[in-house]
Amino acid sequence: MDHDRKRRLRRHLLEVRRALPPDVVAVTGEALARRTLELDELAAPVSPRPGDHRPGTPPVVAAYVSIGGEPSTRALLDRLRAAGVRVLLPVLLADNDLDWALYEGAERLVRAGRGLLEPDGPRLGPEAVTEADVVLLPGLAVDHGGLRLGRGGGSYDRVLARLERAGARASLVVLLYDAEVLAEVPAEAHDRHVHAAVTPSAVHRFTAPGARTEG
């Protein structure tokens, strides 16, 4: 069953991450920040939405604070904020859904359950993510068709379903290590494809299932 294959693959990938020295995670995060900022979606102001008469503005990015052996997002968050990007970070709710709050600097992050760090500012509601132009997703792997393998908690499955229901046109980008771009990952009916994966050495674009370009 694909469910069992996913569980085994997750266990293997998590074991590899746990073995990474902290200095390797930090250095990888610097490279990942540079590569992510090369995304076309972050290079220019966003055109106003229909009915919005403001000039183009920096994009809204839904991101996350990395923990453990995840590719570090600390440098990326600060660089996005310094560039004037409005960065939204998740706040875990009791039912495993995600609320969102504005990132206002590392000093405004507080410890939460499950080892997470969350903003201490006002909560914006679970629907706030639908305003994002780019959604940066955690994950464990992606395949050559853009199918993302998450950790199995279901929080981001809800986010992706919410975006789909809202008709949002956000670019979905998963942040990974180089070795986590795989030929294939097991899939279930609820799994979603992403538009791109960023690793320290490349931006991988997925134009259709089974198709991949690198930049």
Side-chain angles (χ1 to χ4, degrees), residues 121-139:
R123 288 6 184 184
L124 304 175
E127 297 296 325
V129 70
T130 64
E131 296 300 314
D133 301 292
V134 179
V135 179
L136 301 178
L137 300 161

Side-chain angles (χ1 to χ4, degrees), residues 45-48 52-57:
V46 174
S47 299
D52 187 347
H53 302 292
R54 298 172 301 171
T57 59

Side-chain angles (χ1 to χ4, degrees), residues 21-193:
D23 59 330
V24 170
V25 175
V27 170
T28 300
E30 291 288 339
L32 190 70
R34 291 193 297 272
R35 193 67 67 180
T36 303
L37 291 169
E38 295 174 1
L39 288 170
D40 291 342
E41 296 91 331
L42 300 177
V46 174
S47 299
R49 291 182 171 85
D52 187 347
H53 302 292
R54 298 172 301 171
T57 59
V60 177
V61 174
Y64 63 96
V65 183
S66 58
I67 59 172
E70 290 181 329
S72 178
T73 62
R74 307 303 178 88
L76 175 59
L77 294 176
D78 286 332
R79 292 185 189 183
L80 288 170
R81 183 167 176 259
V85 173
R86 189 167 185 258
V87 180
L88 306 180
L89 294 181
V91 177
L92 186 66
L93 299 174
D95 64 355
N96 234 30
D97 204 350
L98 296 179
D99 202 334
W100 298 87
L102 188 64
Y103 178 58
E104 298 181 289
E107 69 280 0
R108 297 289 302 275
L109 297 176
V110 296
R111 295 207 171 274
R114 305 187 191 180
L116 300 174
L117 288 171
E118 298 175 346
D120 65 359
R123 288 6 184 184
L124 304 175
E127 297 296 325
V129 70
T130 64
E131 296 300 314
D133 301 292
V134 179
V135 179
L136 301 178
L137 300 161
L140 292 174
V142 71
D143 70 15
H144 290 177
L147 187 66
R148 167 185 166 271
L149 177 68
R151 295 184 65 129
S155 295
Y156 277 91
D157 290 332
R158 297 191 191 190
V159 169
L160 295 174
R162 182 169 287 121
L163 292 168
E164 188 172 305
R165 287 195 304 270
R169 295 179 295 174
S171 292
L172 307 177
V173 181
V174 62
L175 305 181
L176 299 168
Y177 294 103
D178 291 309
E180 294 170 343
V181 179
L182 308 177
E184 180 186 9
V185 300
E188 296 180 89
H190 63 271
D191 291 324
R192 298 289 192 275
H193 290 78

Side-chain angles (χ1 to χ4, degrees), residues 1-16 18 140 149 186:
M1 291 179 61
D2 283 335
H3 182 74
D4 294 331
R5 291 175 60 210
K6 286 170 75 172
R7 186 173 64 248
R8 290 193 297 270
L9 181 57
R10 284 189 182 109
R11 184 168 58 244
H12 167 71
L13 293 167
L14 286 168
E15 287 173 355
V16 172
R18 280 193 289 268
L140 292 174
L149 177 68

